[in-house]
């Protein structure tokens, strides 16, 4: 039986994309080559924009309850970035293992009747004008779909089958990540701290308590500079690094893996009816905690566009805007991780540069600029119009609809296009919001721009319906603080 979309890969990117598509009523099949969810977590954080995205779909509450920490900052090569002044309801990083995020998304999908099909490695694809045949190892027949999305990680089979160039450079620095117990935890960190990455005699060691006696251990030193990423991580190697960098003694290793700073990006995100998202489209060093977040944000940008493409009435060229909008965003992340890599080189010249950058980051405007980038909150897509919100994400503000209090994030939970006309909400007369929360058009109170609204509606929604609501300002003191939601 043909389906509308096949997603290859049930990591965070594939799972969020599947959630977005099923929310729009699209038939989805999610395939993963693993026999079952691994339960392992490479990433441990959600950046503020990812937190906002999950809130926009009413998926945040369970994660807030499980989070290990709310960290009011990020970092750039270990140099602190202050998030506390960011104009968001969530001006912090949520410390939460990747596996918890994946569990939540997989559960949401299963509740919508779409279980992940494990043990299904994609090994081939053929596309024609009307669809894609997806070959699964061991299956007698191919799966036919309108579209295929490769969310299958950095060594993406889908990307290789398409022959899309993965442009960039090979790794220069390798490191080890492990979840471990300690022989004696006294003296070990008790709260989630951002890494300083200050090398002790050339060895960087960072420990984060995950709970129940388990610690996340990051190690980068001369011994970790092996060329084979799959070389086993040994007890001796980690015990030596831990004792050298922190004086602590290793207990047992629960899970360990090598990683590196390969920096590559797919030259194009769309080839006909096949698209790439998440690590399949871009890989870089984990410095700054951005990879998983970038993948979630790719999925959020792509989901509604792909849903429109499989149904009728989508505007021409909508699906191509996925590459146009997301390719530059990842390119910027790749660039900032390269820059962070330079600041982490353990030699005198790099240390001098690091000192200069550290000094610059004490200037609030400089710190704010990088914080806005790494948190994902300052992203703006090019759209016409002079309103300060045009192209930016719609802030989550407290409003009243039909006399009842709600928030603009809650109004977006259905994942449809939304035209909000406002009575007394500061700065906004009307705003047209895309399903990914970005503002397609806005006017100030008292301004009239019906031609602009009509043009933006046609540009992003074609003949597809847009929901219209009238929002008002809640009673009480004027908004603007994080307590009442951010300002507009
Ligand atoms: C050590 C380390 C620390 C990190 N820390 C952070 C951090 O703090 N913050 C952050 O934001 N990011 C971090 N990252 C990056 C983050 O983990 C990744 O960016 C994220 O996992 C990408 O998600 P994804 O869904 O795109 O790909 P993946 O998580 O790689 O998922 C791909 C899925 O596709 C499946 N698959 C692969 N091939 C096939 C196939 N042929 N057929 C079917 N299925 C297939 C795989 O089994 C897998 O389930 C870190 C990465 C590393 C290595």
């Amino acid at each position: 039986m043909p389906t509308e979309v096949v997603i290859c890969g049930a990591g965070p990117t594939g799972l969020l994309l599947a959630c977005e598509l099923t929310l729009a009523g699209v038939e989805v099949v999610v395939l993963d080559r693993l026999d079952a969810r691994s339960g392992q977590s490479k990433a441990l954080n959600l950046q503020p924009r990812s937190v906002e995205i999950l809130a926009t779909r009413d998926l945040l509450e369970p994660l807030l309850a499980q989070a290990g920490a709310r960290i009011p900052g990020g970092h750039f090569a270990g140099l602190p970035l202050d998030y506390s002044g960011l104009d968001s309801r969530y001006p912090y990083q949520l410390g939460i293992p990747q596996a918890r995020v994946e569990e939540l998304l997989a559960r949401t999908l299963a509740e919508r009747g779409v279980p992940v099909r494990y043990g299904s490695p994609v090994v081939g694809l053929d596309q024609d004008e009307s669809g894609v045949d997806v070959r699964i190892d061991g299956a007698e027949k191919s799966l036919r779909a309108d579209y295929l999305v490769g969310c299958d990680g950095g060594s993406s089979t889908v990307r290789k089958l398409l022959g899309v160039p993965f442009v960039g450079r090979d790794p220069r620095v390798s490191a080890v990540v492990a979840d471990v117990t300690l022989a004696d935890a006294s003296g070990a960190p008790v709260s989630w701290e951002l890494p300083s990455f200050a090398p002790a005699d050339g060895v960087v060691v960072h420990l984060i308590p995950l709970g129940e006696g388990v610690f996340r251990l990051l190690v980068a030193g001369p011994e970790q500079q092996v060329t084979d990423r799959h070389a086993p991580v040994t007890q001796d190697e980690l015990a030596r690094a831990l004792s050298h960098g922190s004086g602590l003694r290793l207990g047992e290793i629960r899970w360990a893996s090598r990683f590196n700073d390969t920096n590559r990006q797919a030259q194009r995100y769309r080839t006909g009816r096949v698209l790439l998202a998440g690590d399949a489209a871009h890989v870089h060093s984990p410095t700054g905690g951005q990879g998983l977040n970038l993948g979630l944000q790719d999925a959020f940008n792509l989901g509604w566009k792909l849903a429109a493409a499989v149904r009728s009435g989508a505007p021409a060229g909508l699906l191509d805007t996925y590459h146009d909008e997301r390719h530059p965003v990842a390119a910027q992340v790749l660039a900032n991780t390269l820059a962070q890599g330079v600041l982490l080189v353990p030699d005198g010249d790099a240390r001098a540069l690091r000192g200069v950058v550290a000094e610059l980051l004490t200037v609030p405007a400089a710190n704010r600029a990088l914080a806005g980038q790494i948190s994902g909150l300052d992203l703006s897509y090019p759209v016409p119009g002079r309103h300060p919100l045009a192209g930016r994400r719609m802030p989550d503000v407290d409003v009243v609809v039909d006399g009842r209090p709600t928030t603009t994030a809650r109004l977006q939970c259905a994942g449809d296009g939304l035209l909000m006309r406002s009575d007394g909400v500061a700065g906004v007369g009307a705003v047209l919001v895309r399903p990914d929360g970005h503002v397609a058009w806005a006017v100030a109170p008292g301004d009239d721009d019906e031609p602009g609204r009509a043009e933006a509606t046609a540009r992003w929604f074609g003949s597809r319906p847009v929901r219209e609501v009238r929002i008002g300002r809640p009673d009480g003191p004027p908004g603007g603080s994080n307590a009442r939601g951010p300002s507009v």
Side-chain angles (χ1 to χ4, degrees):
M1 267 268 289
T3 190
E4 288 178 319
V5 177
V6 168
I7 294 174
C8 173
T13 306
L15 290 169
L16 181 62
L17 178 63
C19 286
E20 285 296 283
L21 291 167
T22 50
L23 184 66
V26 174
E27 283 169 30
V28 182
V29 171
V30 185
L31 306 170
D32 201 289
R33 69 176 170 195
L34 298 176
D35 290 333
R37 179 162 303 295
S38 76
Q40 290 156 357
S41 295
K42 293 180 282 186
L44 290 182
N45 71 323
L46 289 176
Q47 295 283 357
R49 180 58 191 151
S50 304
V51 177
E52 287 187 348
I53 279 177
L54 295 172
T56 305
R57 293 293 184 265
D58 204 14
L59 290 169
L60 182 61
E61 288 303 319
L63 291 183
L64 287 179
Q66 296 176 60
R70 294 180 189 189
I71 307 160
H75 72 93
F76 192 77
L79 302 170
L81 299 176
D82 180 11
Y83 283 3
S84 62
L86 293 176
D87 199 16
S88 169
R89 206 180 282 275
Y90 313 100
Y92 52 78
Q93 288 197 78
L94 199 62
I96 182 119
Q98 176 167 343
R100 298 283 98 76
V101 179
E102 293 177 8
E103 262 165 39
L104 169 83
L105 296 173
R107 194 168 59 243
T108 304
L109 256 191
E111 285 164 5
R112 294 178 189 166
V114 183
V116 174
R117 293 194 198 171
Y118 285 103
S120 305
V122 169
V123 290
L125 69 90
D126 278 307
Q127 59 171 320
D128 53 44
E129 273 183 10
S130 64
V132 192
D133 292 310
V134 183
R135 215 160 50 252
I136 300 165
D137 197 24
E140 263 178 41
K141 281 193 188 156
S142 295
L143 207 55
R144 177 82 178 168
D146 293 346
Y147 289 91
L148 166 68
V149 189
C151 301
D152 48 346
S155 28
S156 171
T157 302
V158 172
R159 189 188 65 234
K160 288 174 189 159
L161 289 167
L162 289 172
V164 172
F166 205 32
V167 182
R169 69 145 172 81
D170 288 335
R172 291 183 185 163
V173 180
S174 301
V176 167
V177 59
D179 289 347
V180 302
T181 61
L182 301 176
D184 175 3
S186 48
V190 291
S191 61
W192 293 46
E193 304 288 343
L194 292 170
S196 78
F197 289 132
D201 294 338
V203 182
V204 172
V205 172
H206 186 63
L207 267 184
I208 301 171
L210 298 180
E212 296 171 4
V214 178
F215 291 79
R216 165 59 52 98
L217 173 61
L218 273 176
V219 175
E223 199 177 346
Q224 281 66 53
Q225 305 315 307
V226 294
T227 44
D228 177 7
R229 201 168 72 78
H230 302 289
V233 178
T234 66
Q235 182 88 12
D236 282 354
E237 175 185 352
L238 288 193
R240 252 192 311 275
L242 184 64
S243 125
H244 183 83
S246 67
L248 293 163
R249 282 192 303 123
L250 185 67
E252 68 184 52
I253 302 175
R254 298 277 170 88
W255 164 75
S257 170
R258 295 186 191 279
F259 67 97
N260 59 46
D261 67 341
T262 301
N263 194 282
R264 291 186 179 278
Q265 185 174 22
Q267 200 172 59
R268 55 179 190 277
Y269 284 12
R270 178 180 180 194
T271 307
R273 292 180 168 270
V274 186
L275 298 112
L276 299 169
D279 276 16
H282 37 71
V283 294
H284 53 82
S285 121
T287 331
Q290 302 172 88
L292 171 144
N293 291 274
L294 198 54
L296 291 179
Q297 290 159 36
D298 283 351
F300 212 56
N301 183 285
L302 175 59
W304 66 281
K305 295 174 180 174
L306 192 51
V310 295
R311 297 288 148 84
S312 59
L318 179 66
L319 201 49
D320 287 325
T321 67
Y322 166 63
H323 169 96
D324 297 344
E325 291 186 340
R326 295 305 299 172
H327 192 278
V329 176
Q332 190 183 43
V333 171
L334 261 70
N336 85 41
T337 57
L338 288 177
Q340 291 186 70
V342 173
L343 296 177
L344 291 167
V345 173
D347 76 11
D349 293 12
R351 262 195 294 277
L353 176 63
R354 189 180 172 84
V356 171
V357 175
E359 186 73 31
L360 280 176
L361 287 179
T362 63
V363 178
N367 197 297
R368 173 65 186 76
L370 265 188
Q373 194 187 116
I374 304 266
S375 65
L377 292 179
D378 276 359
L379 175 62
S380 183
Y381 296 129
V383 297
R386 288 193 314 273
H387 192 279
L389 282 183
R392 299 175 60 83
R393 96 238 195 258
M394 178 68 204
D396 180 15
V397 242
D398 294 344
V399 291
V400 171
V401 174
D402 294 333
R404 272 185 235 113
T406 184
T407 67
T408 50
R410 255 180 252 142
L411 289 173
Q412 295 172 66
C413 280
D416 48 5
L418 190 63
L419 175 64
M420 294 185 269
R421 296 199 185 270
S422 128
D423 296 320
V425 175
V428 176
V431 57
L432 178 66
V433 184
R434 309 190 321 187
D436 62 357
H438 278 264
V439 172
W441 166 90
V443 284
D447 279 2
D448 180 22
D449 178 23
E450 276 310 294
R453 185 201 57 74
E455 199 178 298
T457 306
R459 166 80 185 89
W460 296 106
F461 301 106
S463 58
R464 295 177 63 76
V466 170
R467 190 160 47 100
E468 189 165 337
V469 291
R470 186 157 281 279
I471 56 173
R473 194 166 67 81
D475 292 335
S481 74
N482 286 327
R484 289 170 52 81
S487 53
V488 207

